[in-house]
């Protein structure tokens, strides 16, 4: 979530998504290797990392999660990615000129 906010605030603050202090050094390095200098793709790549961690949870947990809980976590990640796409569409779509002109007069 912090990387999404960092991407949305990049125009004003200038902080890249891979410089967020909440990320581990391995995550930062993986982001730089996978997205290069494209700041907007960082949340999508982190969502893929999160989905892979959810999918292989049996290796890390003593008691595996119930399949419904696992599917619910996947749905949460999907909802976050969908909301991120909506925000990026809102940020990058310019206002049509007549609406801007009407708002100024």
């Amino acid at each position: 979530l912090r990387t999404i906010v960092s991407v949305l605030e990049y125009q004003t603050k200038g902080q890249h998504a891979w410089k967020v202090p909440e990320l581990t050094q391995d995550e930062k390095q993986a982001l730089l290797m996978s997205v290069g200098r494209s700041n907007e793709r960082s949340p999508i790549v982190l969502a893929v990392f999160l989905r892979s961690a959810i999918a292989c949870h049996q290796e890390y947990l003593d008691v595996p999660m119930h399949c419904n809980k696992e599917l619910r976590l996947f749905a949460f990640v999907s909802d976050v990615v969908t909301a991120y796409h909506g925000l990026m569409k809102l940020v990058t779509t310019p206002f049509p000129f007549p609406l801007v002109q009407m708002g100024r007069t």
Side-chain angles (χ1 to χ4, degrees):
L1 184 61
R2 181 66 189 111
T3 57
I4 292 174
V5 172
S6 175
V7 168
L8 293 174
E9 292 179 341
Y10 181 73
Q11 295 293 332
T12 56
K13 293 189 177 180
Q15 181 184 16
H16 293 286
W18 54 85
K19 292 184 179 178
V20 173
E22 287 84 5
L23 296 175
T24 65
Q25 191 63 30
D26 293 336
E27 291 169 338
K28 291 177 184 181
Q29 185 179 4
L31 270 179
L32 280 174
M33 289 176 57
S34 59
V35 301
R37 297 288 178 186
S38 179
N39 205 29
E40 295 83 19
R41 292 190 300 171
S42 298
I44 304 301
V45 172
L46 285 175
V48 171
F49 292 164
L50 186 57
R51 286 177 181 156
S52 65
I54 294 169
C56 65
H57 72 275
Q58 293 93 355
E59 299 173 12
Y60 302 108
L61 297 177
D62 294 334
V63 178
M65 282 190 292
H66 191 267
C67 63
N68 290 338
K69 288 184 180 182
E70 184 178 354
L71 290 174
R72 188 156 171 113
L73 286 175
F74 281 126
F76 286 146
V77 174
S78 178
D79 291 343
V80 167
V81 171
T82 302
Y84 173 70
H85 277 290
L87 286 171
M88 288 306 294
K89 187 170 39 172
L90 181 68
V91 168
T92 58
T93 303
F95 284 106
F97 180 71
L99 290 178
V100 173
Q101 188 178 19
M102 287 172 44
R104 291 183 182 171
T105 59

